[in-house]
Amino acid sequence: MSSSSNSSYRSKSLFTNQNIILASIGWGVLALLYFLLFSAKVPGADGVESRAEWYVIGTNIFEALAYLGAGILCLRNWRSPQIVSSRNVWLAIAVGMLSYFLGGIFFGYTEIVLKEEPDVSIGDVFFVLTYLSLGAGMILAVASRRINLEKWQWLIVLAIGLFGSLLAWWISMQQATSTELLVTILNWFYVVSDVVLLIIATTLLLAFWGGRVAQSWRMIAAAAFSLYIADMWFKYAQGPNYQSGEILEVFWVFSGVLFGMGAVLEHDASLSRSRRERGRKRA
C-alpha cells in the first residue's frame, strides 16, 4: 500500500506545472535545433534537391505533439472549477488545438504517404474548425473582461492590424489564382482568420499587460503571432515545387507550445489564487 502511494505521489510530482513548462520550453528548443540542423535540401539521384522523408516526418511529429499537448492542457483548465478565466474560453481553445492536431495528421498523411499536394484535404475541415474555435475562445476572453486601452494602445492595434492585412493581401496576390472555387475560398478564409487572430492577440497582449494572471494571455498572444508568421510563410512559399520543412515552419511548433504554456500558467495562477483565498478564510 505504501509503495503504491509513493508511486502515485512521484507520478503526480513529475507532472507539476513547473515541470510541464520546462518540458514545453525543451520541446520548442529541440524543434528549433531539428529545423536548423536538418532542413537543408540535398540533391537526389535525379539531381532534384529535396528534403529527406525522415526529416519531414520528424517535423510533423514535433508539430503534432505540441498541439496535442496544448489541447490536453487546455482541457485540464476547462475541467478545473478553480480556473480564473471562463471555462468556456479554455474549452474553445482546446477544441482548436485538438482540431489542429488532427488536421496536421491528415495533411502529413496526404503529403508523405499519398505523395499528393494537400491543397484541399480532409485536414482542411479540422483547420477551419481550429480557426473558428480559436477565434471564439479569444473573443470570449476579451469579452469577459473590461478592455480599457489608451488611445496609443488602440493605435498600436490598428497599426498591426493594418500591417498584417496588407502583408496577407500582398502575399495572396503573389500566388497564382486557383481555378478551383473551394481552394480559393479556403485560402481567403485562412488569410482573413489569421489577420483577425492577429488583431485579437494584439488586443489581448495590451489589455492583459501586467499581473501574474496576465502571463498566460501574453503566451496566448505570442502563440497567435507565431501561427500568423508560419501561415504567412507557408502562403508565400507555396508553389508547385514546395516541400514541407522550411525553417519558418518551426513557428507552428512554437504556436502549439505557447498555447500549452499559456494554459499551464493560467492553471498555476488559479491554484495560487485559490490557496490565498482559503488562507484568508481561515484567518
Side-chain angles (χ1 to χ4, degrees), residues 240-277:
N241 298 319
Y242 181 79
Q243 185 186 20
S244 292
E246 292 285 355
I247 183 63
L248 286 183
E249 290 181 19
V250 75
F251 278 93
W252 274 322
V253 182
F254 290 166
S255 182
V257 167
L258 289 166
F259 273 115
M261 289 175 65
V264 174
L265 289 171
E266 176 86 357
H267 188 268
D268 190 60
S270 299
L271 289 180
S272 299
R273 181 176 178 178
S274 178
R275 292 190 197 102
R276 288 196 302 270
E277 289 177 351

Side-chain angles (χ1 to χ4, degrees), residues 36-56:
L36 286 173
L37 293 174
F38 306 116
S39 62
K41 292 183 178 181
V42 293
D46 55 358
V48 178
E49 292 188 343
S50 63
R51 296 183 179 86
E53 187 172 289
W54 60 264
Y55 165 75
V56 179

Side-chain angles (χ1 to χ4, degrees), residues 162-178 184 187-188 190-192 194-195 198 225-239 242 248 252:
L162 183 61
F163 173 78
S165 300
L166 289 174
L167 178 62
W169 177 82
W170 178 78
I171 290 174
S172 298
M173 291 299 101
Q174 307 306 306
Q175 302 296 315
T177 305
S178 174
T184 303
N187 284 339
W188 281 108
Y190 293 141
V191 167
V192 172
D194 277 319
V195 173
L198 184 68
F225 278 107
S226 297
L227 184 61
Y228 175 85
I229 292 171
D231 282 354
M232 287 301 105
W233 165 253
F234 178 74
K235 183 73 177 171
Y236 174 76
Q238 222 175 1
Y242 181 79
L248 286 183
W252 274 322

Side-chain angles (χ1 to χ4, degrees), residues 26-69:
W27 192 251
V29 171
L30 283 175
L32 178 60
L33 290 174
Y34 185 81
F35 275 79
L36 286 173
L37 293 174
F38 306 116
S39 62
K41 292 183 178 181
V42 293
D46 55 358
V48 178
E49 292 188 343
S50 63
R51 296 183 179 86
E53 187 172 289
W54 60 264
Y55 165 75
V56 179
I57 293 173
T59 62
N60 278 263
I61 291 173
F62 271 108
E63 183 182 318
L65 291 182
Y67 285 99
L68 177 61

Side-chain angles (χ1 to χ4, degrees), residues 19 38 48 71 87 92 105 170 202 204 209 219 228 235 256:
N19 286 345
F38 306 116
V48 178
R87 292 167 65 186
I105 295 295
W170 178 78
T202 305
L204 284 171
W209 194 268
M219 291 296 106
Y228 175 85
K235 183 73 177 171

Side-chain angles (χ1 to χ4, degrees), residues 177-193:
T177 305
S178 174
T179 56
E180 296 184 30
L181 179 61
L182 181 58
V183 174
T184 303
I185 292 173
L186 284 174
N187 284 339
W188 281 108
F189 171 82
Y190 293 141
V191 167
V192 172
S193 298

